[in-house]
């Protein structure tokens, strides 16, 4: 396995583009090393992106938040302002693995690993996050939901890598939340993950984005479900409709972590619980 | 065979080793540097027996490549005591019988030392969630949690 | 050896909580476990394992593997003995497959190379042609007509005619008239229960470092619960003489029964012999799950009859256990433990040992007993609920006591079941209020405990300190207890005794550390060895004082004249005697070898409060209390530790742990990610009560405690869930999926 430590994105894409075989980028390593040790995948070329300028930065400007691709979950949780404005995104990231995993794992790594159950993805989708993709042909902006295309697969082509993550600016009366169902209290892969991002005005929901993870080959954006709570004060009727639509939108499988029936039911339960949390957060004083 | 030469710092000492690119930092610590305190319980980041600090950040050494240690500062269980003086956590673990077979103990000590540096007054729930990535099969965690909470209290009172 | 007749003996060291002697090593990382040994010129080994549940091995081609630079040797079954029989044959067949791969993970070949990466790369280059044949991984399916035959003629002759050849052993016990018993009941409940296989889940994978020369002499370092057994079995499998192999037990990172079995040591030895170099073999976590010894999975039919006043009139159980592709599922233990807490006039238990295409089962803390308790204690709870009786009162009413006939035959000696139940009844936990959505469950549990071959040696040093050599690896803190025994008997401070787990060249045979036997048997032997040393010390003093040996007693660490008639001499402390022992008769060493009978059984009662999230089926353990009879707690902290550890394992077994096999017969969850043991945030504090009803078979009354604590949790939690959510789970684990399904079916 070749190991490279490029000093720039240009160098990184060049190495990736000029090599054949299995090429992987290394950020936190909490997926790559597991796959290596479990004999699932041994990269021929491993490109460590942690030595490129800016990859460890979290910054904020008029366009919103910019999170470097080597920022760890622990660093995100420790960023007070980010945690305040995007509690759902931060808590989703925080749920991944143990304290030790949090010390290394990255949100972009979680996205690009392409697991249908990735905790980071639903909240990024509901947040309207975008990524900068850098490749041999330059850079482009991509909506986060267009990155994963199937279990373990992304839409990135040869030589491309995500070079930055962007979250929109936040205003008052906006809040997000993420909940997942796991059988223990920690350390499990999500059986169902749900993210809700709300904007309210005088207690009325005027904007909503709902996303489910672990119930389809890629995380889902639930447009019908979101519509059911827009214009409401999240009363029981709206919640029940949200719940039903969430269950309807699932396309889960039976596997060692849950059955179709279970995931479908729990998706509905989580949609309600997550929406309530986001709603309460949005209403609270900012 | 092309091994990579790595310069790093472990428990305050400058060290160097040669390793294959596929070797983890855990492999390097144990097999190259004879620091066998960190253990491989799973190799996939699920058990925490390999816990170390990397630039003061608590991590699983099985999830870090040996080559990634270049220029970093590493803390292992072997560095927790100050010569012959045990850290209060180590003392308390013995006193409270917070270990039975002891295989998870190095990882838990590294993890809890990191916790108390970050949060000197954790609640029981905070301790439990901080340690969720350190599996123990012998104790049921009870005496471990008590040892950590009481050590935290002792350290706060002493300062 | 009988309980000392020393009424009002006040122990000075026993019953206190000194620091354990290996504590310093373990908190500093100095302690050396199985994988912590290194040798000059050492090679690293890796094992190629079958990816198929059941397949004929047609050919093994190692050419490409051997051509890889750094590979030094390959071994297959050909490199092992061809003359082993009986259980040794079973072990060998499991250690390395013969002509058939019997389960996913079965070892087929092994490689030694100059690095573990090369060894792991090399095994991928071994080419095996398999003929895949039908498999079966369910205990009930394996008994049905048409089920694939795992091994013909593997039965021991006890099985009733007409049963499938996969049924290899049979057990039947009981007494009385079942039919009469059931007809006199006011309520009879009959139900079937299933439990899936679980793994001991020790955090340390198996590891060893082996060296075996062409002269048949070898050294082996391994993590094991019994190095004498390793010595014996490895010698047989490698066709060498037992005493030519010296085995040293490393510190062990958990065993719980799973490291009483042998999986990799013979392979490392064979590779070492072939390469004439030391070979280190360490299992990966995935290998541990796939190819070491999980528990049996079970299918059980229980029928119990009860009168309105709570008297149990009859009980019967049929227990089907699969133990993998080899005989040995502990169905007789399941059968015998099931009704052990109950004094029944009419009882019958039947057990079947069934083969499956799964790894060879190994003991896991009271093997067979937890499953039995799950089934029987759940039915008792149902009877109590329906007859509106208090579960502890009913258990007290029917409790086994000294002199009553056990369900499996003999009359009980002095036992502590009633004391545990009374303690539970009066415990504040039992009457504490429950919040909405919470339910409380209780359960009894039982384990036989064991004596076993034991040999110890206690050598005194000239400076008055003592070196105790024992042959039972320390799996729970026993070195502290052994020092306490020796200190108590010798009358010298605890700190002046050092206990070492000696290698196989140093002591007579010691049975493995299992059956909760160490504090009982090694402890008893330590007491006897210390008394032997004391006798010799007294003889030296008697000699010096020129009085009869009978006239010298030992008190407070000194030889003293037994009375004024014996003479007036100043007490002679141990150190004074040992200082000159070279000249007064030679080294003073106490020793003791025996197979002690008289291990005392241990009963327990657990109380658990659980909360069920009825929208998701997720269960939270709110409060847990373990009450168990220890006979005499030598080091209370370590007794508490056993209680808490067993309860935690039981909680995991009840709620989340299971082996998941696919339709292809392959294990789907061979890692800690999806084999879900409890993490710190899953559990509350676990309260403990040590009940002490002395065991008449031990000088201090010690009963083993390590195992019983895993027996009650499965049913206690099932009963708590039933009381919390109104659903009775009869299949383990009680995962959220299963609980939700039960709730949906109820609605």
């Amino acid at each position: 396995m070749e190991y490279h430590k490029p000093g720039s994105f240009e160098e990184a894409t060049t190495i990736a583009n000029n090599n054949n075989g299995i090429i992987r980028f290394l950020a936190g390593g909490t997926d790559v090393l597991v796959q290596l040790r479990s004999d699932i995948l041994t990269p021929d070329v491993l490109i460590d992106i942690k030595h490129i300028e800016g990859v460890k930065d979290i910054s904020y400007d008029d366009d919103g938040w910019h999170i470097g691709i080597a920022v760890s979950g622990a660093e995100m949780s420790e960023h007070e302002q980010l945690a305040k404005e995007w509690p759902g995104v931060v808590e989703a990231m925080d749920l991944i693995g143990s304290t030790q995993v949090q010390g290394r794992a990255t949100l972009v790594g979680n996205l690009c690993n392409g697991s249908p159950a990735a905790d980071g993805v639903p909240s990024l989708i509901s947040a309207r996050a975008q990524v900068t993709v850098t490749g041999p042909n330059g850079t482009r902006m991509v909506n986060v939901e267009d990155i994963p295309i199937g279990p373990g697969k992304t839409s990135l082509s040869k030589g491309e890598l995500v070079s930055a993550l962007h979250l929109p600016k936040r205003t008052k009366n906006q809040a997000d939340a993420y909940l997942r169902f796991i059988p223990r209290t920690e350390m499990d892969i999500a059986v169902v993950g749900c993210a809700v991002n709300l904007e309210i005005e005088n207690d009325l929901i005027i904007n909503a984005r709902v996303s489910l993870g672990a119930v389809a080959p890629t995380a889902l954006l639930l447009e019908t479900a979101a519509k059911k709570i827009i214009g409401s004060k999240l009363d029981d009727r709206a919640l029940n409709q949200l719940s039903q639509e969430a269950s309807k939108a699932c396309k889960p499988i039976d596997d060692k972590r849950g059955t179709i029936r279970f995931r479908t039911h729990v998706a509905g339960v989580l949609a309600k619980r997550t929406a309530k949390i986001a709603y309460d957060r949005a209403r609270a004083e900012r | 065979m092309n091994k990579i030469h790595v310069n790093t710092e472990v428990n305050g000492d400058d060290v160097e080793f040669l390793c294959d690119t596929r070797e983890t930092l855990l492999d390097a610590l144990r097999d190259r540097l004879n620091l066998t305190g960190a253990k491989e319980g799973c190799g996939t980041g699920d058990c925490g027996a390999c816990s170390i600090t990397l630039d003061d950040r608590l991590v699983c050494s099985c999830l870090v490549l040996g080559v990634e240690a270049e220029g970093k500062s590493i803390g292992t269980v072997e560095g927790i005591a100050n010569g012959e003086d045990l850290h209060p956590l180590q003392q308390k673990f013995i006193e409270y019988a917070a270990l039975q077979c002891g295989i998870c103990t190095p990882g838990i000590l590294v993890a809890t030392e990191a916790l108390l540096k970050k949060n000197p007054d954790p609640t029981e729930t905070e301790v439990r969630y901080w340690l969720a990535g350190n599996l123990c099969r012998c104790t049921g965690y009870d005496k471990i949690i008590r040892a950590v909470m009481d050590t935290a209290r002792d350290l706060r009172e002493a300062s | 050896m009988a309980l000392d007749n020393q009424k009002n003996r006040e122990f000075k060291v026993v019953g206190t909580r000194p620091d354990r002697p290996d504590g310093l090593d373990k908190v500093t990382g100095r302690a050396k476990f199985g994988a912590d040994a290194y040798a000059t010129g050492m090679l690293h080994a890796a094992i190629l394992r079958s990816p198929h549940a059941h397949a004929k091995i047609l050919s093994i081609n190692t050419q490409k593997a051997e051509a890889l630079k750094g590979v030094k040797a390959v071994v297959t079954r050909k490199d092992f003995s061809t003359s082993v029989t009986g259980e040794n044959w079973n072990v060998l067949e499991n250690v390395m497959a013969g002509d058939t791969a019997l389960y996913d993970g079965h070892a087929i070949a092994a490689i030694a190379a100059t690095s573990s990466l090369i060894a792991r790369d090399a095994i991928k280059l071994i080419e095996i042609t398999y003929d895949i044949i039908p498999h079966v991984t369910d205990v009930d399916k394996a008994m049905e007509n048409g089920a694939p035959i795992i091994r013909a003629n593997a039965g021991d002759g006890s099985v009733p005619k007409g049963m499938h050849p996969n049924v290899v052993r049979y057990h039947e016990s009981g007494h009385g008239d079942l039919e009469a018993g059931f007809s006199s009941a006011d309520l009879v409940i009959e139900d079937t229960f299933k439990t899936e296989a679980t793994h001991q889940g020790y955090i340390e994978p198996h590891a060893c470092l082996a060296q075996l020369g062409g002269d048949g002499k070898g050294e082996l370092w391994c993590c094991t619960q019994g190095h004498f057994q390793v010595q014996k079995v490895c010698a047989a499998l490698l066709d060498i003489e037992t005493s030519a192999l010296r085995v040293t037990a490393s510190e062990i990172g958990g065993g719980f029964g799973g490291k009483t079995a042998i999986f990799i040591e013979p392979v490392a030895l064979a590779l070492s012999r072939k390469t004439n170099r030391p070979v280190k073999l360490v299992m990966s976590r995935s290998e541990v799950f796939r190819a070491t010894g999980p528990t049996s999975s079970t299918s059980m039919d229980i029928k119990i009859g009860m009168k309105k006043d709570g008297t149990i009139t009859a009980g019967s159980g049929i227990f089907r256990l699969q133990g993998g592709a080899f005989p040995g599922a502990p169905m007789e233990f399941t059968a015998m433990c099931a009704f052990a807490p109950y004094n029944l006039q009419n009882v019958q238990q039947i057990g079947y040992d069934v083969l499956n295409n799964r790894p060879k089962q190994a003991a896991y803390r009271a093997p067979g007993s937890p499953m039995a308790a799950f089934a029987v204690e759940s039915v008792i709870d149902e009877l109590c609920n329906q007859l509106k009786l208090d579960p502890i009162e009913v258990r007290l009413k029917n409790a086994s006591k000294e002199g009553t006939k056990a369900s499996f035959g003999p009359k009980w000696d002095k036992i502590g079941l009633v004391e545990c139940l009374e303690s539970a009844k009066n415990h504040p936990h039992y009457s504490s209020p429950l919040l909405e959505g919470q339910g409380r469950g209780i359960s009894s549990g039982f384990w036989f405990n064991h004596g076993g071959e034991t040999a110890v040696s206690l050598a005194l040093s000239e400076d008055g300190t003592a070196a105790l050599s024992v042959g039972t690896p320390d799996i729970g803190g026993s070195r502290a207890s052994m020092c306490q025994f020796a200190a108590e008997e010798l009358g010298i401070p605890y700190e002046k005794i050092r206990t070492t787990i000696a290698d196989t060249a140093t002591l007579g045979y010691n049975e493995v550390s299992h059956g909760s036997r160490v504090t009982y048997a090694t402890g008893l032997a330590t007491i006897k060895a210390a008394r032997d040393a004391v006798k010799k010390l007294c003889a030296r003093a008697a000699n010096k004082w020129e009085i009869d040996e009978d006239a010298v007693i030992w008190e407070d660490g000194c030889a003293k004249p037994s009375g004024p008639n014996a003479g007036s001499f100043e007490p002679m402390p141990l150190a004074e005697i040992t200082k000159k022992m070279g000249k007064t008769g030679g080294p003073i060493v106490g020793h003791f070898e025996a197979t002690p009978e008289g291990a005392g059984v241990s009963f327990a009662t657990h109380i658990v409060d659980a909360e069920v999230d009825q929208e998701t089926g997720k269960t939270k353990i709110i409060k847990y209390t373990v009450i168990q009879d220890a006979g005499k707690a030598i080091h209370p902290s370590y007794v508490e530790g056993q209680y808490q550890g067993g309860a935690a394992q039981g909680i995991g077994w009840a709620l989340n742990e299971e082996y998941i096999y696919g339709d292809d017969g392959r294990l789907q969850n061979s890692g800690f990610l999806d084999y879900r043991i409890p993490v710190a945030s899953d559990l509350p504090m676990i309260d403990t009560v040590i009940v002490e009803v002395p065991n008449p078979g031990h000088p201090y009354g010690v009963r083993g405690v390590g195992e019983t604590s895993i027996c009650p949790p499965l049913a206690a939690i099932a009963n708590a869930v039933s009381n919390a959510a109104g659903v009775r789970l009869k299949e383990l684990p009680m995962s959220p999926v299963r609980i939700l399904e039960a709730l949906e079916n109820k609605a």
Side-chain angles (χ1 to χ4, degrees), chain A:
Chain A
M1 183 175 82
E2 276 177 36
Y3 172 77
H4 299 269
K5 261 194 315 196
S8 68
F9 283 115
E10 237 182 84
E11 211 186 317
T13 61
T14 306
I15 297 168
N17 203 31
N18 292 348
N19 273 288
N20 291 313
I22 301 174
I23 298 165
R24 282 291 182 276
F25 295 100
L26 179 69
T30 53
D31 286 317
V32 172
L33 267 76
V34 173
Q35 290 157 4
L36 182 61
R37 184 71 177 92
S38 312
D39 276 334
I40 293 171
L41 187 135
T42 302
D44 296 302
V45 175
L46 190 63
I47 305 169
D48 187 340
I49 51 78
K50 297 194 286 293
H51 302 268
I52 299 171
E53 197 181 322
V55 294
K56 288 219 132 264
D57 297 340
I58 300 176
S59 64
Y60 181 80
D61 60 26
D62 284 338
D63 296 325
W65 290 91
H66 311 286
I67 300 173
I69 60 173
V71 172
S72 70
E75 286 161 341
M76 284 177 61
S77 300
E78 285 163 6
H79 198 289
E80 263 183 59
Q81 195 60 23
L82 180 65
K84 198 166 160 212
E85 295 199 5
W86 285 106
V89 172
V90 172
E91 71 195 346
M93 184 63 210
D94 189 50
L95 283 171
I96 298 173
S98 59
T99 312
Q100 289 87 341
V101 166
Q102 284 292 302
R104 297 289 283 174
T106 66
L107 193 41
V108 170
N110 186 245
L111 172 68
C112 294
N113 187 48
S115 164
D119 284 308
V121 182
S123 62
L124 286 176
I125 291 177
S126 72
R128 285 197 185 81
Q130 289 189 306
V131 290
T132 309
V133 173
T134 302
N137 301 322
T139 66
R140 56 196 176 96
M141 282 291 243
V142 182
N143 292 333
V144 138
E145 59 264 33
D146 294 328
I147 295 292
I149 57 171
K153 291 186 166 60
T154 68
S155 59
L156 302 175
S157 35
K158 186 169 161 143
E160 286 189 317
L161 76 156
V162 170
S163 51
L165 171 68
H166 314 282
L167 292 170
K169 250 170 105 99
R170 229 33 184 155
T171 65
K172 275 186 185 242
N173 305 318
Q174 290 175 338
D176 65 337
Y178 176 78
L179 281 180
R180 69 176 182 180
F181 181 87
I182 52 170
R184 292 182 291 185
T185 53
E186 279 282 338
M187 301 304 288
D188 291 330
I189 299 291
V191 179
V192 179
C194 180
V196 175
N197 182 16
L198 299 178
E199 184 178 359
I200 63 175
E201 197 175 85
N202 299 325
D203 285 2
L204 219 61
I205 297 174
I206 58 172
N207 243 312
R209 263 172 86 93
V210 179
S211 176
L212 282 177
V215 294
T218 58
L220 302 172
L221 176 62
L222 308 187
E223 305 200 11
T224 315
K227 287 204 180 83
K228 295 292 180 190
I229 58 175
I230 293 176
S232 81
K233 288 192 180 180
L234 212 59
D235 54 292
D236 282 348
R237 200 177 102 100
L239 279 169
N240 286 333
Q241 287 186 335
L242 169 70
S243 169
Q244 278 164 33
E245 288 304 322
S247 292
K248 259 201 245 166
C250 290
K251 288 173 282 181
I253 55 169
D254 281 330
D255 71 8
K256 63 193 172 204
R257 297 178 187 137
T259 57
I260 292 171
R261 190 167 162 193
F262 183 79
R263 287 185 155 110
T264 306
H265 172 92
V266 172
V269 172
L270 285 191
K272 280 197 281 194
R273 294 182 183 181
T274 317
K276 278 196 206 147
I277 297 172
Y279 187 68
D280 288 343
R281 280 180 181 160
R283 287 174 71 215
E285 271 334 285
R286 293 299 210 110

